[in-house]
Amino acid sequence: MIAKIQSYSLTGLSGNKVSVEVDINNGLPSFDVVGLADTAVKEARERVRSAIKNSGRAIPTKKITVNFAPAGIKKEGSAFDLPLAIGVLKSSGQLTADTDGIVFLGELSLDGTLRSITGVLPSLISATKDGFTKFIIPDENKLEASFVMEAEIYPAKTLAQVIDHLSGLAPIPRYQNQTYERSTTKPLYDTDISLVKGQAVAKRALEVAVSGGHNVLFVGAPGTGKTMLAKCIPTIMPDLSFEEALETTKIHSVAGSLKDSDGIVRTRPFRSPHHTATTVSLTGGGTHIKPGEISMAHNGVLFLDEMPEYTRSTLEALRQPLEDGIITVSRANFTVTYPANFMLCGSMNPCPCGNYGSEEKPCTCSASQIARYKAKISGPLLDRIDIQVHVDEVKYSELISEEKTETSETVKRRVNRTRLIQKDRFKDDNILTNSDMGEKHLKKYCKLSSDCEEVLKTAYRTLGLSPRARSRIIKVARTIADMELSDNIMVAHILEAISYRQS
Ligand SMILES: [Zn+2]
């Protein structure tokens, strides 16, 4: 008889229904797999063979044919081991239970243990949208699965356990679904902006950046605490909503980085790929397409320490995602799109020796050396970084100061308020923050008084601003005005915004 078992595969973050069809006939013993299955699926055949044997069942010495349908979609990974094994058992009459409407996912080890797989959360979200409610999955994946409210989860540790469950011998208890609630006893992040000593200007710039969704570049000598400041960004960003948390978790599920978590990503990601990172590791891709660092940073922060050290091609690869909030990666015959909406934070020295602009140490670089160093970050990329701020060395008096500084929680409350103003302003514009504004939004929401125009005109002439720099200044000024609950952009807001630029 033909057995049809339901499973799912992923393209990017969306799940596709896959039907595993097993047919067993008399004939020379064989085990053929057809239906665009990649090598991993073919390897599944060997694992399934051993797992069935080691679960006290038999592989029929007949002609076994397996078809993965539909043929048109790419099927990768090891999630089909379990449905394949169940299909063989059913088709050979060793299991008579009804499996209609149940989705099976899981990798088998040779001894019949069910091993965790990647991408369970996005698969289940798609499957529940398709109307499926019952899922048999590896025990290790139950936490992420439990956040899909519509799903009935039956987690299993072995193939034998699944067989006993289906045949009614030993039903697996349904795993309790979880709700997304923030624990009030445990702090979300292990750092806090109150731990940063001094740095009033940089902290203010950071709050402006996060408030308006602006990318930020810290320019300062080594040891001035640029990394520490960057690490504080997630702590002052608004808390992740459930929708954002799910979206972020989907990516981390596909990347296989959910282990040791409680199944859902609750904190805004902070990713800091080293400057030797390859473009593929940053953007995603590879033989088995996986999300890259910029997608792992989705809804959080991508921190590039010592930005000029990254290769030109790596930095250029960021431009499109910074514009679109998504990244499309291609392989031979298909493409995959992952979300990549992150806040970019970069850091760099002011010059090759690091001392340019320091009051205490002399800079030994020539003007042309400094220019060459700065030119490593291209103009078009800099154009996407609205705020560029100089980070000074911390003064000794500030270092030993016992003065209480604001906590991240306090700053976050203000950020939330400023974000709400923007949400309301842009409710019909399909954008969220001031940094997303295009020219038409600037015209609509950033009317400038003649005084403001005058200040900009002077800056334009004396600082040699580009037209793009002008737009950036106005966007940042809009954010500063929002922070002060001012409907109109004032001269003071423009002046502060002008101060946040190094080039
Ligand atoms: Zn120097």
Side-chain angles (χ1 to χ4, degrees), residues 351-356 363-365 370:
C351 66
C353 87
N355 294 336
Y356 184 78
C363 169
T364 55
C365 312
I370 295 176

Side-chain angles (χ1 to χ4, degrees), residues 22-96:
V22 183
D23 191 15
I24 300 184
N25 285 301
N26 290 324
L28 285 177
S30 60
F31 196 158
D32 293 318
V33 178
V34 293
L36 258 188
D38 76 344
T39 42
V41 176
K42 283 180 180 136
E43 285 162 12
R45 190 171 51 190
E46 301 313 316
R47 291 194 297 268
V48 165
R49 206 191 278 274
S50 291
I52 288 181
K53 264 188 216 153
N54 291 323
S55 305
R57 303 301 197 280
I59 281 280
T61 45
K62 289 184 173 180
K63 183 178 162 52
I64 306 173
T65 311
V66 181
N67 180 39
F68 286 83
I73 58 161
K74 189 79 189 165
K75 307 167 203 79
E76 289 192 323
S78 47
F80 304 124
D81 288 5
L82 180 62
L84 183 50
I86 298 297
V88 169
L89 292 170
K90 273 196 84 171
S91 184
S92 60
Q94 299 179 78
L95 183 69
T96 51

Side-chain angles (χ1 to χ4, degrees), residues 397-451:
S397 57
E398 290 172 332
L399 206 62
I400 57 164
S401 163
E402 292 290 319
E403 204 180 312
K404 279 255 183 290
T405 50
E406 279 188 316
T407 63
S408 292
E409 199 59 43
T410 308
V411 180
K412 182 161 71 183
R413 266 200 292 275
R414 283 197 303 265
V415 168
N416 281 335
R417 190 185 64 188
T418 313
R419 286 282 183 110
L420 271 180
I421 294 170
Q422 296 164 75
K423 199 176 164 193
D424 186 52
R425 170 184 306 139
F426 301 129
K427 58 184 183 296
D428 300 322
D429 294 296
N430 207 21
I431 59 173
L432 284 174
T433 57
N434 291 332
S435 70
D436 298 329
M437 284 193 287
E439 285 305 318
K440 63 170 184 190
H441 306 116
L442 285 173
K443 276 207 184 77
K444 196 166 157 194
Y445 301 118
C446 304
K447 294 205 168 54
L448 297 179
S449 67
S450 55
D451 287 353

